[in-house]
């Protein structure tokens, strides 16, 4: 079965420090990869995507993600965390020729002042 | 342009009842997908509609059904509600451009009592 894994339920980081939220995928072919963020009682907001090309993609709010095909990973990063980045982050894969998204279980990011 | 609109935002229903949720995608978007979000199961794909046709269906019982109208608006229906159907139901729409991301509505919070 195709799946996306986010191994950490929660990531804690101090404001101003770099952050990484991990994601690996097991999806056949060359899926499109996405990161979404969810704030309490809200829908999902798009952060960034990898389709093809450069392995480092930049997105909204200073976030970036590094794609590694050999490790089938797509880790979310930010050089300097803000308290306002505290939220639930989802990694998702979009198999070829479908609009269906396969989501990871989510990682709660907590940024402490 | 207006985002994805889901109505109602909140619903409380009794076991055994049925419920209909509505989603209006972004104008011009071709595809509508539905997801169920629960604390235990995370984000699970329900179904995907494109041009009034169901293209993909997730692993949910037949009590869950949906449809898409000619104006791309979509509805999902859950019959014979169970307590376990309590969840946040999210709708996503995808545009006609290649390699585009899904845009999510704020969701409908369904509580079954």
């Amino acid at each position: 079965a195709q799946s996306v894994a986010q191994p950490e339920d929660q990531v804690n980081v101090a404001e101003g420090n770099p952050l990484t939220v991990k994601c690996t995928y097991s999806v056949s072919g060359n899926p499109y990869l996405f990161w979404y963020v969810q704030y309490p009682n809200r829908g999902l907001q798009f952060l960034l995507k990898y389709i093809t090309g450069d392995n480092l993609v930049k997105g909204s709010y200073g976030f970036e993600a590094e794609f590694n095909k050999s490790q089938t990973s797509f880790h979310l990063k930010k050089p300097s965390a803000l308290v306002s980045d505290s939220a639930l982050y989802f990694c998702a894969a979009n198999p070829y020729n479908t609009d269906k998204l396969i989501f990871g279980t989510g990682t709660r990011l907590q940024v402490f002042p | 342009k207006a985002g994805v609109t889901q109505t109602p935002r909140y619903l409380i229903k009794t076991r055994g009842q049925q419920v209909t949720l509505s989603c209006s995608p972004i104008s011009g978007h071709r595809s509508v997908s539905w997801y169920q979000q629960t604390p235990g199961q995370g984000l699970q794909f329900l179904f995907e509609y494109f041009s009034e046709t169901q293209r993909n269906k997730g692993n949910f019982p037949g009590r869950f059904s949906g449809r898409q109208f000619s104006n791309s608006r979509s509805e999902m229906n859950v019959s014979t509600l169970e307590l376990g159907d309590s969840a946040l139901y999210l709708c996503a729409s995808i545009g006609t451009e290649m390699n585009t991301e899904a845009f999510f509505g704020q969701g409908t919070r369904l509580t079954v009592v």
Side-chain angles (χ1 to χ4, degrees):
Chain A
Q2 304 188 102
S3 63
V4 173
Q6 292 180 243
E8 303 152 318
D9 289 336
Q10 181 155 328
V11 169
N12 299 315
V13 64
E15 189 174 33
N17 283 1
L19 69 88
T20 299
V21 182
K22 296 179 181 177
C23 171
T24 58
Y25 64 94
S26 176
V27 178
S28 57
N30 297 308
Y32 300 164
L33 300 167
F34 302 84
W35 276 100
Y36 285 86
V37 60
Q38 186 177 38
Y39 296 97
N41 297 315
R42 302 296 295 272
L44 302 177
Q45 295 179 29
F46 168 76
L47 278 180
L48 50 77
K49 64 185 175 186
Y50 175 82
I51 304 299
T52 187
D54 195 352
N55 289 343
L56 185 66
V57 294
K58 295 189 183 296
S60 307
Y61 313 117
F63 283 93
E64 55 192 28
E66 187 170 13
F67 171 69
N68 186 315
K69 186 169 185 176
S70 63
Q71 296 185 2
T72 61
S73 66
F74 188 54
H75 299 332
L76 181 70
K77 300 173 184 284
K78 188 174 183 182
S80 179
L82 299 172
V83 172
S84 57
D85 293 331
S86 299
L88 187 56
Y89 290 80
F90 289 95
C91 179
N94 178 203
Y96 177 72
N97 207 28
T98 173
D99 287 337
K100 167 185 174 179
L101 288 170
I102 302 169
F103 282 93
T105 50
T107 299
R108 187 163 301 282
L109 174 65
Q110 191 72 44
V111 182
F112 295 94
Chain B
K1 53 185 174 182
V4 179
T5 303
Q6 290 188 246
T7 55
R9 288 291 312 279
Y10 302 92
L11 266 178
I12 300 176
K13 290 286 188 179
T14 305
R15 272 182 302 174
Q17 287 186 313
Q18 70 144 18
V19 67
T20 299
L21 312 182
S22 179
C23 172
S24 294
I26 293 171
S27 177
H29 278 198
R30 69 179 192 273
S31 168
V32 173
S33 298
W34 289 88
Y35 295 84
Q36 181 196 64
Q37 185 178 16
T38 59
Q41 298 298 318
L43 278 155
Q44 302 287 315
F45 170 76
L46 280 157
F47 21 66
E48 173 203 344
Y49 287 90
F50 178 84
S51 294
E52 303 179 62
T53 300
Q54 186 179 92
R55 264 200 320 200
N56 281 294
K57 189 177 191 304
N59 190 24
F60 279 82
R63 301 185 296 107
F64 291 81
S65 63
R67 58 178 175 169
Q68 186 179 32
F69 301 96
S70 58
N71 62 357
S72 293
R73 189 177 71 85
S74 178
E75 289 181 346
M76 67 162 281
N77 185 280
V78 188
S79 62
T80 320
L81 284 165
E82 301 177 359
L83 294 179
D85 298 333
S86 295
L88 180 66
Y89 290 88
L90 293 166
C91 168
S93 76
I94 297 180
T96 54
E97 305 83 11
M98 291 297 295
N99 306 332
T100 187
E101 62 274 14
F103 294 85
F104 284 81
Q106 294 195 66
T108 294
R109 171 76 62 186
L110 172 65
T111 302
V112 182
V113 297

